[in-house]
Amino acid sequence: MIRHLPSHASRAFRKRASAKPAQTGRLRAAVCGSLVALAGFGTINGSLAQTPPRVLIEQLRAANGASASQADPEALKRAKEEGLAALSNGQAEPALSAYEQAARMIHAPDVELGLVRAMMLNGHYRRALAFGAHAAGAHTDFPTGSALYAWLLHSGGQAGAAQSALDIAQARSPNDLTLVALRAALATTWPQLSGSVAQPEASILPFAWGTPVPSSTRVIGSATLVGQGEIALAPLGMVQGASKVWVRNGLGQTVSASIDQIADGLPIARLRLESPLPMGMNSPAHSAEPFGGLPAYFYEYSTGAGQQAGWPLQRQSFLSPQPSESGLRRLGAAIPLGPRGGPVFDAGGRWLGMSTIDAAGESRFVSAFTLTERLSLPGPPSSTPASRATPIAPGEIYERALLTALQLIVAQ
């Protein structure tokens, strides 16, 4: 199983879940210390980035004894409202700043969930996951925190760890509707959250922002962002005949799109975006077809209502053997049947290509090399062989996929 958290943090989370009341304060400080250090590691946008991890730890440890009565109620309410409004409008830095301000007033689960969501809006999955572990372990009486943590784990390819976190939470709160709904969703191949748990205010999913889409639209698959963020590639069969098309990244940013080219001999459509989306590191892995057996990470979205934003789901498999003259390969054996169109990365986080559907309805993989040749995509492939890729953390690859994996939304 791929692990995003060091073993000492995982042990602290499990120990916290079964702690006696007298142990709670000491364990909360331990979990808070290890996970907030992880959440503050590196450089991110906003004031949290300039706060050294040690200072963050001391701030939250001090806040362990705080209560709502010690905070200015109006200031706290205003900070929470500003944070939620910033999240809903896609304002990453203001959201992080507002929830950080609230966290200095009170140690509360809804504030910490706001911080987790602000980190995701900034595109920082690893920090969100680390801080989400703290929120779930430190606030056992707040099941939504455990639900968010389990959903983040599952989205990042850690299905087993997600089920374990959910088991612990449901042992404490067996009748919580959010946990019940999440368990039902995770029992399916491509989870779809619906009802109250699917509302952004429930803290399980991101907000959709940018270009609005009608309520009658559907997310029917995925697309892959390329170029300088002005082009998306999508399975041809999903967009051909659609009266209107939109795409949305893992941050929730939505733009309209239109077909401007169909790939020669491939079931791929090139979409021109109305306005560019932010682009991550998405350069092709090398100047030839990647070899069969190469470890690869696949990213796709579940289908669902067009107005519902989401985070991509990560799957890991191996590339199939070399393609036929058509340029198509079979998809990795470990990738279950479902929606297609998302990007594929190697272990070094470099773009290998995308998944698609052929004319017979079979799942296929098309390399970045083939796509670049047949669609005249901007930027030449790198000459670095994929076999020499320096592996990076799966969580870092996921952060790139938050930008390059897109929801594909259509109106028929």
Side-chain angles (χ1 to χ4, degrees), residues 9-387:
S10 298
R11 287 195 299 270
F13 173 75
R14 292 193 297 270
K15 188 175 180 183
R16 171 65 184 86
S18 59
K20 296 178 181 179
Q23 299 172 310
T24 299
R26 293 192 300 274
L27 287 173
R28 177 182 295 171
V31 175
C32 179
S34 61
L35 294 176
V36 173
L38 284 173
F41 180 76
T43 302
I44 61 176
N45 293 329
S47 56
L48 185 61
Q50 287 96 45
T51 306
R54 185 178 301 277
V55 176
L56 282 171
I57 294 168
E58 295 305 320
Q59 285 178 347
L60 286 181
R61 280 178 175 169
N64 280 338
S67 66
S69 61
Q70 294 171 311
D72 179 346
E74 288 302 318
L76 179 60
K77 179 183 177 182
R78 184 166 57 253
K80 289 182 180 182
E81 290 176 346
E82 289 175 355
L84 188 61
L87 284 177
S88 66
N89 291 314
Q91 299 171 319
E93 291 188 41
L96 192 59
S97 178
Y99 280 115
E100 185 184 299
Q101 180 183 1
R104 285 194 289 266
M105 301 181 202
I106 188 173
H107 184 227
D110 59 335
V111 172
E112 293 187 359
L113 261 65
L115 280 170
V116 172
R117 300 177 74 194
M119 291 173 187
M120 287 298 291
L121 182 57
N122 274 276
H124 299 297
Y125 171 75
R126 290 169 291 171
R127 298 182 186 98
L129 186 64
F131 204 84
H134 160 69
H139 302 287
T140 57
D141 57 343
F142 191 68
T144 303
S146 296
L148 176 59
Y149 178 51
W151 185 238
L152 287 172
L153 284 168
H154 187 89
S155 298
Q158 298 192 79
Q163 289 290 347
S164 296
L166 195 54
D167 289 343
I168 293 172
Q170 281 202 294
R172 295 190 298 259
S173 307
N175 299 318
D176 181 78
L177 296 181
T178 299
L179 297 177
V180 170
L182 183 59
R183 179 172 292 280
L186 296 189
T188 64
T189 303
W190 296 98
Q192 296 183 34
L193 299 180
S194 59
S196 60
V197 73
Q199 299 303 312
E201 292 81 359
S203 304
I204 299 298
L205 293 172
F207 284 94
W209 53 279
T211 303
V213 300
S215 59
S216 58
T217 57
R218 296 284 299 172
V219 175
I220 61 169
S222 304
T224 298
L225 189 67
V226 297
Q228 301 302 313
E230 80 285 8
I231 298 171
L233 306 179
L236 178 60
M238 293 185 183
V239 295
Q240 204 168 31
S243 61
K244 186 71 176 176
V245 179
W246 299 261
V247 292
R248 179 187 296 129
N249 62 22
L251 309 184
Q253 186 174 1
T254 313
V255 298
S256 61
S258 57
I259 299 175
D260 76 345
Q261 185 180 350
I262 296 176
D264 181 25
L266 291 175
I268 303 291
R270 189 174 82 169
L271 308 178
R272 180 71 57 176
L273 307 191
E274 183 181 40
S275 57
L277 289 171
M279 190 69 201
M281 298 177 65
N282 197 31
S283 58
H286 55 103
S287 58
E289 285 286 341
F291 57 81
L294 187 71
Y297 293 86
F298 297 73
Y299 295 89
E300 306 204 353
Y301 290 89
S302 295
T303 58
Q307 293 181 317
Q308 181 175 303
W311 294 311
L313 302 177
Q314 175 181 287
R315 313 277 187 175
Q316 187 175 6
S317 186
F318 299 91
L319 291 186
S320 59
Q322 292 287 334
S324 62
E325 291 183 3
S326 68
L328 298 174
R329 304 190 194 197
R330 294 192 310 274
L331 209 57
I335 307 301
L337 295 175
R340 296 292 175 243
V344 182
F345 293 89
D346 68 9
R350 297 177 300 185
W351 183 48
L352 286 176
M354 64 178 290
S355 62
T356 191
I357 301 289
D358 66 14
E362 297 292 331
S363 297
R364 293 289 184 257
F365 166 79
V366 185
S367 72
F369 172 73
T370 298
L371 291 166
T372 300
E373 276 197 334
R374 301 198 189 180
L375 285 167
S376 302
L377 299 179
S382 165
S383 60
T384 304
S387 58

